[in-house]
């Protein structure tokens, strides 16, 4: 008897939520039908800084259908103390509290909500609210804000921030280096611009409890906030985010529409929905602007002898958002003299926030442009130069990696791309009117793991349900949960249901940092293993006691609905037969996966990272300097791949956003008005179908039992890191023009 | 310094005016509906708020993202740019009308097979737009599909998979 075929980890299963998404039945936050619900439309400030003097609501209240207007003048009580405004991200400072008082801290700040029987009445009335302001001088210009840059003291830093660690004497080594490169690099503000606009539907049940359908990357972080800041109490609040129309970091923190909708519901004791407009989506989270001075020194043979980086990123005046910018370059290459510094610069905007690969997408990308410049100075092939300076350890923390298959990624990517056929000289490849350039860059991100709980429930009809308060923001969490459960218990995916996106489910963190698959997957595996143990016990009652000598589930294989004695496939028991023998109608388990379980190596001893090598072909119109990205090959080393199909999609998405970072995305400040001026999809350009041609994704074999229990490293972020560098490097190779400020728009190319 | 901003001052006098309602007949996914609609209601808001056809998505409300693409008499249109009362007598097809669980439209099946979405929010619009593109009959090549699908933004970046899915359906139709 052969062991039945397994459908589990490693199979390209189509998304289990696919049918719901393609038929339009998947419900997002603004799509739950709630009885007697009112519509709230938010009025936002027209100034960047100052105070509200008067709010004249007379005309707005006269619109038929308008029920009420809520602002700082009449809002329900909310918590005074900052600590009550809970938020898993814990950004140091004073969190923004909508309608707190008459102060205006940034442009398009929510100041009132018009609540009406219809969306249309609320929308019209919101335009009629007369606001008189007292303005104060503001600054949203990054350059100007640098005069006020500072480094928050210990105790006032983000807990995710890693200070750079210097080694050797970098200043001296740089000064004495025969090959030197020094330049300043810049990244513009970007907005996450997930397709689903932030929305909160508050279902007021009338008995002191509420259910809130919220656009957020973690239901429990919104629940904590609402329960604590608005005094509703833990047990009275349930938050659901079963489907999330994109996040990219923009929905990691509960956003202001949740404050507004909750206050309106409390004030009116009724159900209320508040949806941001697309323009209002620009009023909150965004990737910080960054300036990064990089100095590199190399010996005559091209070996790096000095790496120096000084970076500043933007934040608001009320919170200190921090990123790791300079550390990536110090970690990635073998170099004994490294030095870094970092600061943040406050301005009168909302606080900058995490956006896909926060820190690395900025710092590693800009660093990989500088490395390219040094490679040309050394007269070396840019890929060979990187391999010459390859580091087998984390060069800054001086720790070995649990695994690092970047060398293999470089080789496999180069092979697929045809790098060997590259003509080394810039401006030496051409076809028709277009100059052709080939660029390379390497990427680095973290393999994170977060404490996560999950439950599993096997019923006597053979159906298994696994559940966790995790989120699926498009990453494929539903599918990963099903696959891990299928793999652990040897069941078919069709007989498994995954539940997530509900604060009532077992505790899980917000979805971000690429930790979802590794952490939720491990929790589901643990819960299913507990089910397996209970099944083994129940199998003791099966006639003939085929497992009389089996003491652990490690001696069994689970496949095709059976548990099978390893090495003796004739000894098997059907899972449901075991349940019957044990007199069980249902088996339930709940487990928590914490860092350190299952052979995981602690952060203290080894570095845990994902790596990538990105190859880009750019074609640039010789006269117009218009750029097309015609070919991308990205080779990723990210441990074990649970689902090659959805994994590939994650990387494709990262590459597309990286192309956006390279060529399109830039939120521009109007310094006089103090607001982002291109606050629409019409003017904030993201890649469209026509911009994206051929992208090939390779996953390099990288077994790593130490990194996380499943050997999974996570894929949400590595796909974007350094893509923009490979684009810039390809444009340089095509044209001989080096642009150091992202995005590389046509005007910048024409100016070189 | 004191400043007053009245974004819509010229409309203040209209504040107290009652909103008219206009009888409108729409055939939605094959079902004729006699509706009474306020003239300021877009087709998008009618579908989502009044008829609970939430498969049509709101991504910008400005005709810039394509998430609300539906078919009006077979032609793809951004539902956020159409006032519903202007569509009297029209046939409207939304994602719910293209196919359902157990009876998927070939485009829906191809989108699943090619993993042509991640978060799923732009997906109904992409699929309706692809059906509109097929109806137009002008796209044959990958380049043409990419160009003619460019009104539909996918922030998850599933573009290459969407192109694969659309091309597969186009090619299978040509073979048939």
């Amino acid at each position: 008897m052969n062991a039945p075929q397994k459908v589990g980890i490693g199979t390209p299963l189509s998304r289990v939520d696919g049918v719901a998404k393609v038929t339009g039945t998947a419900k997002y936050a603004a799509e739950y039908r709630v009885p007697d619900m009112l519509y709230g439309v938010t009025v936002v400030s027209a100034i960047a800084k100052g105070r509200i003097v008067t709010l004249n609501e007379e005309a707005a209240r006269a619109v038929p259908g308008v029920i009420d207007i809520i602002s700082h003048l009449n809002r329900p009580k909310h918590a005074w103390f900052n600590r009550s405004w809970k938020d898993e991200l814990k950004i140091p400072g004073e969190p923004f509290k909508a309608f707190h008082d008459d102060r205006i801290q940034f442009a398009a700040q929510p100041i009132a909500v018009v609540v009406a029987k219809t969306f249309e009445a609320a929308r019209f009335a919101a335009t009629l609210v007369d606001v008189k302001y007292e303005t104060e001088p503001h600054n949203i210009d990054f350059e100007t804000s640098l005069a006020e840059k500072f480094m928050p003291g210990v105790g006032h830093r983000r807990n995710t921030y890693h200070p750079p660690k210097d080694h050797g004497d970098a200043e001296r080594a740089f000064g004495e280096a025969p090959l030197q490169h020094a330049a300043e690099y810049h990244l513009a503000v970007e907005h996450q611009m997930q397709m689903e606009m932030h929305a909160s539907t508050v279902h007021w049940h009338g008995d002191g409890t509420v259910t809130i359908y919220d656009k957020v990357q973690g239901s429990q972080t919104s629940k904590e906030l609402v329960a604590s800041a608005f005094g509703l109490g833990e047990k009275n609040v349930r938050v659901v985010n079963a489907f999330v129309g994109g996040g990219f970091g923009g929905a990691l923190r509960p956003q202001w529409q949740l404050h507004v909708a909750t206050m309106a519901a409390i004030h009116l004791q009724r159900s209320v929905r508040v949806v941001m407009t697309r323009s209002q989506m620009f009023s909150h989270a965004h990737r910080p602007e960054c300036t990064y001075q990089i100095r590199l020194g190399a010996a005559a043979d091209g070996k790096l002898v000095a790496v120096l980086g000084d970076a500043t990123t933007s934040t608001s005046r009320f919170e200190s958002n921090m990123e790791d910018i300079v550390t990536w370059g110090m970690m990635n290459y073998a170099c004994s003299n490294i030095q870094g510094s970092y600061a943040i610069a406050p301005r009168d905007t909302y606080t900058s926030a995490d956006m896909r690969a926060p820190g690395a997408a900025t710092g590693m990308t800009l660093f990989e442009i500088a490395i390219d410049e040094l490679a040309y100075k050394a007269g070396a092939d840019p890929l060979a130069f990187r391999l010459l300076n390859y580091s087998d350890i984390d060069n800054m923390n001086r720790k070995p990696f649990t695994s690092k298959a970047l060398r293999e990624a470089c080789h496999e990517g180069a092979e697929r791309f045809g790098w060997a056929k590259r003509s080394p000289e810039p401006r030496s490849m051409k076809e028709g009117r277009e100059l052709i350039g080939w660029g390379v860059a390497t990427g680095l991100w973290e393999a994170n793991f977060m404490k996560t709980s999950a439950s599993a429930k096997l019923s006597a009809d053979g159906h298994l349900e696994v559940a966790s308060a995790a989120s699926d923001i498009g990453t494929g969490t539903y599918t990963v949960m099903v696959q891990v459960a299928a793999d652990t218990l040897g069941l078919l995916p069709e007989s498994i249901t995954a539940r997530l996106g509900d604060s009532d489910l077992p505790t899980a963190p917000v979805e971000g940092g690429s930790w979802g698959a590794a952490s939720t997957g491990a929790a589901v595996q643990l819960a299913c293993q507990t089910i397996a143990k209970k099944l083994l016990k129940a199998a003791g009652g099966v006639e003939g006691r085929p497992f009389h000598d089996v003491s652990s589930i490690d001696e069994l294989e689970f496949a095709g609905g059976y548990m099978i004695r390893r090495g003796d496939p004739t000894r098997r028991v059907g899972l449901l037969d075991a349940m019957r023998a044990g007199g069980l109608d249902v088996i339930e388990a709940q487990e928590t996966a914490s860092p350190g379980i299952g052979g995981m190596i602690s952060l203290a001893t080894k570095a845990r990272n994902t790596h990538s090598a990105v190859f880009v072909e750019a074609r640039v119109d010789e006269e117009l300097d218009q750029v097309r990205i015609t070919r991308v090959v990205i080779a990723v080393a990210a441990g074990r791949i649970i689902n090659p199909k959805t994994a590939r999609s994650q990387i494709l998405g990262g590459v597309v956003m990286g192309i956006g970072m390279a060529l399109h995305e830039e939120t521009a400040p109007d310094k006089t008005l103090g607001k982002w001026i291109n606050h629409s999809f019409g003017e904030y350009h993201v890649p469209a179908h026509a911009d994206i041609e051929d992208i090939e994704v390779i996953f390099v074999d990288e077994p790593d039992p130490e990194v996380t229990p499943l050997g999974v490293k996570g894929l949400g972020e590595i796909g974007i890191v350094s893509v923009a560098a490979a684009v810039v490097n390809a444009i340089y190779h095509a044209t001989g023009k080096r642009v150091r400020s992202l995005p590389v728009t046509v005007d910048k190319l024409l100016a070189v | 310094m004191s400043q007053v901003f009245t974004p819509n001052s010229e409309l203040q006098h209209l504040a107290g005016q009652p909103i008219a309602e206009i009888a409108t007949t729409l055939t939605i996914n094959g079902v004729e509906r006699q509706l009474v609609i306020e003239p300021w209601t877009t087709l998008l808001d009618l579908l989502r708020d009044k008829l609970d056809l939430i498969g049509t998505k709101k991504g910008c409300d400005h005709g810039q993202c394509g998430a609300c693409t539906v078919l009006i008499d077979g032609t793809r249109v951004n539902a956020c740019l159409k006032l519903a009362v202007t569509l009297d007598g029209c046939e409207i097809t939304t994602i719910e009308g293209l196919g359902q669980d157990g009876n998927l439209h070939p485009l829906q099946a191809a989108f699943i097979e090619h993993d042509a979405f991640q978060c799923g929010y732009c997906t109904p619009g992409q699929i309706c737009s692809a059906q509109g593109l097929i109806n137009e009959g002008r796209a044959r090549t990958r380049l043409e599909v990419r160009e003619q699908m460019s009104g539909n933004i996918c922030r998850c970046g599933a573009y290459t998979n969407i192109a694969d899915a659309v091309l597969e359906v186009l090619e299978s139709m040509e073979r048939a």
Side-chain angles (χ1 to χ4, degrees):
Chain A
M1 229 184 291
N2 291 325
Q5 191 69 37
K6 268 186 125 153
V7 185
I9 294 174
T11 44
L13 184 69
S14 290
R15 275 170 211 270
V16 298
D17 51 341
V19 170
K21 284 176 173 172
V22 301
T23 55
T25 53
K27 280 192 178 167
Y28 299 81
E31 298 174 346
Y32 285 83
R33 204 141 183 87
V34 170
D36 300 320
M37 188 193 77
L38 299 172
Y39 294 81
V41 170
T42 311
V43 180
V44 298
S45 70
I47 67 162
K49 197 174 188 178
R51 283 180 188 280
I52 301 166
V53 180
T54 58
L55 254 169
N56 185 344
E57 303 168 353
E58 194 183 338
R61 284 183 182 274
V63 174
V66 169
I67 302 286
D68 208 342
I69 298 172
I70 297 117
S71 69
H72 68 286
L73 298 169
N74 62 342
R75 64 163 170 80
K77 273 192 190 137
H78 64 213
W80 184 265
F81 293 108
N82 291 337
R83 65 169 180 272
S84 299
W85 292 73
K86 292 188 178 173
D87 174 355
E88 260 179 58
L89 265 64
K90 297 185 177 66
I91 309 292
E94 186 190 351
F96 174 69
K97 312 172 184 89
F99 305 172
H100 185 63
D101 55 22
D102 59 355
R103 269 188 313 161
I104 304 293
Q105 294 169 286
F106 55 93
Q109 175 182 320
I111 55 175
V113 63
V114 178
V115 183
K117 286 181 189 160
T118 66
F119 166 66
E120 290 82 0
R123 181 179 58 186
F124 176 51
T127 70
L128 301 178
V129 175
D130 254 341
V131 188
K132 192 171 166 191
Y133 304 94
E134 209 166 82
T135 57
E136 291 165 27
H138 62 256
N139 172 54
I140 71 161
D141 176 45
F142 185 53
E143 201 65 33
T144 309
S145 75
L146 292 177
E148 295 178 70
K149 74 178 182 187
F150 70 103
M151 180 61 198
V154 177
H156 300 276
R157 297 176 185 173
R158 264 191 86 169
N159 56 11
T160 51
Y161 174 71
H162 300 98
K165 288 182 199 159
D166 299 351
H167 294 284
D169 187 343
E171 289 285 357
R172 192 174 139 194
F174 175 75
E176 292 171 357
L179 289 170
Q180 292 179 342
H181 170 69
E184 184 175 325
Y185 298 84
H186 174 258
L187 175 73
V189 165
E190 296 184 301
H191 274 78
Q192 288 85 353
M193 285 303 106
Q194 56 274 29
M195 295 306 294
E196 180 202 13
M197 301 184 292
H198 280 233
S200 301
T201 302
V202 181
H203 188 168
W204 187 265
H205 298 294
D207 59 358
T209 67
V210 292
T211 304
I212 304 179
Y213 305 95
D214 193 32
K215 159 70 181 234
V216 69
Q217 287 174 239
S219 56
Q220 290 171 333
T221 192
S222 286
K223 177 200 164 134
E224 293 282 323
L225 173 90
V226 167
S228 153
F230 301 103
L232 290 173
E234 286 273 333
K235 62 181 187 305
N236 297 321
V237 182
R238 177 180 170 213
V239 174
V240 173
N241 68 335
F243 290 96
V244 182
F248 315 116
L252 280 172
R253 307 180 74 186
Q255 244 336 309
W256 60 250
Q257 93 289 343
L258 178 63
H259 308 182
V260 172
T262 304
M263 284 189 285
I266 293 172
H267 181 78
L268 296 166
Q269 308 272 297
R270 285 187 68 173
S271 299
V272 178
R273 171 182 298 158
V274 173
V275 186
M276 286 192 197
T277 64
R278 180 52 64 183
S279 166
Q280 290 170 353
M281 288 293 287
F282 286 81
S283 70
H284 55 94
H286 55 271
R287 195 194 290 283
E289 193 161 347
C290 177
T291 178
Y292 187 2
Q293 280 84 29
I294 302 174
R295 286 178 290 161
L296 303 172
D301 62 359
K303 286 244 172 84
L304 278 168
V305 294
V307 170
L308 300 94
D310 304 284
T312 304
T313 57
S314 61
T315 187
S316 67
R317 286 203 193 275
F318 49 93
E319 286 175 319
S320 296
N321 183 40
M322 302 173 71
E323 292 192 339
D324 295 335
I325 300 290
V326 299
T327 48
W328 309 97
M330 296 164 75
M331 286 162 66
N332 201 48
Y333 292 101
C335 182
S336 357
N337 304 294
I338 57 173
Q339 180 184 309
S341 77
Y342 174 71
I344 53 175
R347 54 179 168 180
D348 297 302
T349 62
Y350 188 82
T351 312
S352 59
D354 294 338
M355 177 169 165
R356 204 170 203 162
T362 305
M364 186 66 187
T365 299
L366 297 178
F367 190 81
E368 281 289 287
I369 302 172
I371 281 287
D372 210 65
E373 297 204 52
L374 186 63
Y376 279 97
K377 282 193 175 156
D381 172 89
L383 179 62
F385 186 78
R386 285 168 170 86
L387 291 169
L388 174 73
N389 288 293
Y390 194 88
S391 179
D392 286 308
I393 62 162
D394 169 343
N395 182 66
M396 184 180 84
N397 295 300
R398 302 288 154 101
K399 282 194 255 182
F401 292 99
T402 57
S403 61
K404 178 180 178 179
L406 176 60
R407 195 175 269 118
E408 292 76 4
C410 287
H411 291 313
E412 287 183 37
E415 177 71 26
R416 288 297 300 172
F417 189 81
W419 186 259
K421 285 179 261 170
R422 180 175 177 271
S423 150
E425 279 302 303
R427 227 180 162 87
S428 61
M429 290 160 62
K430 198 178 169 187
E431 195 179 309
R433 295 162 51 96
E434 288 181 320
L435 300 164
I436 301 170
W438 289 0
V440 66
T442 61
L444 178 63
W445 181 246
E446 298 160 348
N448 289 312
F449 191 89
M450 296 285 276
K451 185 178 171 183
T452 303
S453 303
S455 64
K457 181 178 168 187
L458 181 63
S459 306
D461 63 358
H463 181 259
L464 177 73
E465 180 185 280
V466 288
S468 172
S471 306
D472 188 334
I473 60 174
T475 41
T477 316
Y478 279 109
T479 311
V480 161
M481 287 171 72
V482 166
Q483 282 182 273
V484 171
D487 199 87
T488 312
L489 287 173
L491 296 170
L492 290 173
E494 293 77 20
S495 62
I496 303 170
T497 307
R499 285 183 61 209
L500 52 73
D502 184 335
S503 63
D504 283 354
L505 297 175
T507 309
V510 292
E511 181 161 68
S514 295
W515 57 63
S519 313
T520 314
V524 167
Q525 188 185 47
L526 277 184
C528 290
Q529 283 169 343
T530 301
I531 298 269
K533 286 173 194 162
K534 293 183 180 184
L535 282 165
L536 172 59
K537 199 173 165 203
V542 171
E543 205 184 304
R545 301 185 61 232
F547 296 155
H548 64 89
D549 58 345
V550 176
S551 57
S552 152
I553 56 167
D554 296 339
E555 296 163 53
L556 298 175
E557 190 168 347
F558 286 77
Y562 290 92
M563 7 186 200
I564 304 158
R565 181 79 161 94
R566 280 190 200 277
D568 184 1
T570 60
R571 289 164 65 188
R572 58 170 68 190
V573 173
L575 303 191
L576 303 184
D577 294 333
M579 287 180 76
R580 264 191 294 278
L584 301 168
D585 290 332
V586 63
I587 304 180
E588 292 183 79
Q590 180 164 330
E591 296 293 343
T592 300
S594 303
I597 60 157
M600 263 179 88
I601 294 293
S602 86
L603 269 174
T605 48
K606 285 193 179 179
R608 306 182 307 175
N609 292 87
T610 49
H611 294 86
S612 70
V614 197
F615 299 82
V616 166
E617 176 180 279
R619 291 183 179 236
V620 186
D621 186 291
E622 196 176 4
E623 286 169 43
L624 303 175
D625 273 346
Q626 217 163 24
V627 181
R628 295 195 299 138
I629 302 304
T630 43
R631 215 152 54 85
V632 179
V633 173
I634 179 166
V636 177
R640 192 178 183 196
I641 304 302
I642 294 183
N643 184 327
K645 188 188 267 194
T646 55
R648 176 174 170 272
S649 290
Q650 290 236 67
I651 299 302
L652 289 174
V655 169
V656 169
M657 206 174 270
I659 291 173
M661 174 187 257
L663 299 178
H664 311 296
E665 298 188 35
E666 173 173 25
T667 320
D670 182 313
K671 295 162 196 173
T672 311
L673 293 174
K675 59 162 110 173
W676 306 123
I677 206 66
N678 53 335
H679 46 88
S680 73
F681 269 129
E683 290 166 283
Y684 181 88
H685 292 170
V686 301
H689 274 282
D691 298 311
I692 302 304
E693 304 198 19
D694 187 19
I695 306 172
E696 186 171 340
V697 179
I698 298 167
F699 291 111
V700 177
D701 193 36
E702 193 185 58
D704 188 340
E706 293 176 347
V707 67
T708 61
L710 291 168
V712 168
K713 287 186 172 181
L715 291 165
E717 278 143 315
I718 186 65
I720 190 175
V721 179
S722 294
V723 170
V727 170
V728 168
N729 298 341
I731 292 171
Y732 174 74
H733 183 236
T735 63
K737 296 181 183 187
R738 181 65 74 176
V739 177
R740 302 191 177 103
S741 171
L742 298 176
V744 183
T745 43
V746 173
D747 55 312
K748 289 178 189 168
L749 270 177
L750 287 170
V752 178
Chain B
M1 200 171 77
S2 206
Q3 283 185 25
V4 182
F5 288 90
T6 309
N8 229 346
S9 55
E10 74 280 15
L11 295 179
Q12 295 267 359
H13 68 284
L14 293 175
Q17 299 282 317
I19 305 302
E21 290 186 320
I22 297 174
T24 308
T25 303
L26 302 176
T27 301
I28 300 171
N29 299 329
V31 179
E32 189 182 284
R33 295 179 188 245
Q34 313 282 344
L35 301 161
V36 179
I37 307 170
E38 294 177 349
W40 58 5
T41 299
T42 64
L43 174 61
L44 176 59
D45 291 325
L46 177 84
L47 292 170
R48 286 170 66 82
D49 291 347
K50 312 284 195 298
L51 305 178
D52 203 25
L53 289 167
I54 50 95
T56 306
K57 304 302 181 193
K58 185 183 279 193
C60 72
D61 226 4
H62 280 67
Q64 296 172 332
C65 77
C68 65
T69 306
V70 296
L71 296 160
I72 300 180
D73 295 332
T75 301
R76 49 183 170 160
V77 174
N78 286 329
C80 72
L81 295 184
K82 283 282 176 191
L83 293 171
V85 294
T86 66
L87 301 171
D88 192 41
C90 288
E91 287 213 22
I92 291 146
T93 306
T94 69
I95 191 72
E96 291 91 345
L98 278 186
Q100 308 78 34
D101 190 4
N103 179 34
L104 293 181
H105 184 282
L107 279 165
Q108 291 170 320
F111 267 60
I112 293 175
E113 180 55 32
H114 289 276
D115 207 31
F117 53 89
Q118 292 175 44
C119 81
Y121 199 76
C122 74
T123 312
Q126 299 277 359
I127 292 173
C128 287
S129 187
Q131 181 60 59
L133 170 141
I134 290 167
N135 294 350
E136 289 156 18
R138 291 186 292 117
R140 289 282 177 277
T141 64
R142 191 179 187 87
L143 183 67
E144 287 165 347
V145 167
R146 281 176 33 229
E147 182 65 33
Q148 293 173 36
M149 286 294 292
S150 282
N152 291 81
I153 292 172
C154 170
R155 187 57 162 156
C156 296
Y159 293 127
T160 53
N161 291 350
I162 294 171
D164 288 343
V166 174
L167 276 166
E168 182 185 278
V169 174
L170 263 180
E171 284 162 11
S172 72
M173 286 175 60
E174 273 172 17
R175 278 197 301 273

